[in-house]
Each structure stands twice: as C-alpha cells, then as structure tokens.
Amino acid sequence: MEQLAAQLGFGLTVVAHEGGSPVTAAIASSVPGRKPLSIYIGADSRFFSLSGWDQGIELVTGATPDLADVVRAGVAWGQGRGLRELVLLPFLHTSERAEAHGRGPAAVVELQWRKMQEQADEAPEFPGFGLLVEAAHADPRLRQLYVYSSHWTLGFSSCTGFPFRNEAAIVPAHNGRPYRVMRHPHSNAIGETATAEEAVALAVSQLATGVGPAVAGTAERDE
C-alpha cells in the first residue's frame, strides 16, 4: 500500500492491525480518537474489506478488489476527512448512527432511543420490553444516557462509543419473572420489581451523582 501510494503521489502510513493477523493491516490517522482504518484481505480472492472507527463508533465500511481504492480511502481517512467526503468514494458506506455522531453525542443518544422504541414496537409479543423502554425514556436521568439492548436487557451508558461505560441495566419482565435491575447487563441483580416504573426508579437510585448526559468516547478512555 505504501509503495502504491507513493506511485500515486500520496503519503500513507501503514501500521500493524490491532489483531496482529498476517491478513490484516491498518492505515494510521492523525485525528485524535479516530482509530487506524482497518484493512482485511480476502482469503480466496483479491478483495479488501475496510472499517473505520471514531470514538467507538464505526463511521465507514466497505469492500473493493482495487488496492488503489484502499489507498485513496486510507489517505482520506488519515487526513481526517469527514463523512461527506469519505462516502464520495463509491465503495465506502456509512450509517445513520455515524451521521448522528457527526452532530454530537446528544444526537446519537436521541437516535438510540428512537431505535429502542422501534424495536419495542416490532415486538408486541414481549410487552415487558415495551413498557420498560417507555418508562426509562420518561425518566430524565436515563433519557440523557446512551441506551442499548443486549438479549432484551436495556443497558445505559454514559458514553456513546463501544465499549460502553455501563451505569445501569434492567431486564424486562417476561414469562412471569419480575423486572431485574443490575449494574451492567448480565451481572447479578441489585433488586427485583413488579413494574417497569419501579425498576426505573431503582436503577436511577443507583446512578452516581452527576452521571450524564452521555459524552462521546468509550469506556477505555475519554477521547
């Protein structure tokens, strides 16, 4: 990639991929919080898959058989180009979440709550989940946190990127089992309640003082 970049008149810095695999590489970025652009090489044919993450959110993904495409994407990524410029490369794609990230953490939080409400609407056979989403969204302290679901458990994070900084989690009532409040998904329960509203109140009582609104970044470090 570095040789081809030089031939094309670009400067490019190739670094080892985090996984250390011989079929992966990465292209460094000068932007704080933006991880090197990951490049995965196809095993059976000439094919390159790309993935670019910023502050714990995947901004772009794509695939191409042309190494020159990889170089152009790497140069744009390394220079800190925004989504509008990156997706001008036709093999790169973005997401609604990545676009929200560009508008700030509050936009990501708002999008995630809408996604949870849509998920609840699509699962009428699981009323406990819908009631929980409704009750959690009604509480101002939880509403300002990043919400996500893991096997129907709602998790609440004080950062918008993965890995999350978990502040509380609630398992919805189902099949006769009560709502359960935890520190993070799949941990031991702090308590059990009969209603979604009671579960939300218990979860909020466990939040540290001053938690929220959610900020950009991950639990690994503030970026």
Side-chain angles (χ1 to χ4, degrees):
M1 285 190 289
E2 289 178 343
Q3 290 178 351
L4 180 56
Q7 293 173 12
L8 295 173
F10 298 126
L12 199 67
T13 302
V14 178
V15 297
H17 188 265
E18 286 183 347
S21 168
V23 296
T24 60
I27 299 173
S29 172
S30 60
V31 178
R34 181 175 282 194
K35 288 187 175 292
L37 183 68
S38 298
I39 314 297
Y40 305 89
I41 304 171
D44 301 317
S45 61
R46 183 181 176 86
F47 203 69
F48 307 97
S49 297
L50 297 80
S51 177
W53 288 68
D54 179 67
Q55 295 183 305
I57 293 178
E58 188 176 45
L59 294 191
V60 291
T61 184
T64 176
D66 190 344
L67 189 59
D69 285 342
V70 177
V71 168
R72 294 185 184 95
V75 170
W77 182 259
Q79 291 176 346
R81 302 292 178 85
L83 283 183
R84 288 185 179 181
E85 292 177 275
L86 288 167
V87 297
L88 290 176
L89 298 168
F91 60 93
L92 287 183
H93 310 285
T94 189
S95 67
E96 190 177 7
R97 186 164 175 254
E99 292 173 351
H101 176 64
R103 299 192 297 274
V108 179
V109 169
E110 181 181 359
L111 172 65
Q112 280 299 115
W113 277 107
R114 178 163 59 81
K115 294 292 186 182
M116 287 302 101
Q117 291 164 336
E118 291 173 355
Q119 183 176 338
D121 291 341
E122 292 169 0
E125 75 284 358
F126 200 164
F129 181 76
L131 291 172
L132 177 57
V133 170
E134 182 180 357
H137 184 262
D139 186 274
R141 289 200 67 187
L142 291 186
R143 190 169 59 243
Q144 66 182 343
L145 298 177
Y146 180 94
V147 63
Y148 65 96
S149 66
S150 175
H151 297 87
W152 299 102
T153 296
L154 278 192
F156 305 93
S157 170
S158 54
C159 62
T160 59
F162 181 83
F164 303 124
R165 190 183 302 114
N166 293 297
E167 305 295 345
I170 306 174
V171 180
H174 188 54
N175 287 340
R177 299 194 65 182
Y179 292 89
R180 287 176 290 149
V181 178
M182 303 172 292
R183 296 288 184 188
H184 55 81
H186 317 304
S187 64
N188 293 328
I190 296 170
E192 298 180 347
T193 69
T195 69
E197 290 77 12
E198 291 171 338
V200 165
L202 178 57
V204 170
S205 73
Q206 302 299 312
L207 296 177
T209 302
V211 167
V215 298
T218 72
E220 291 179 339
R221 64 184 180 92
D222 294 328
E223 298 176 292

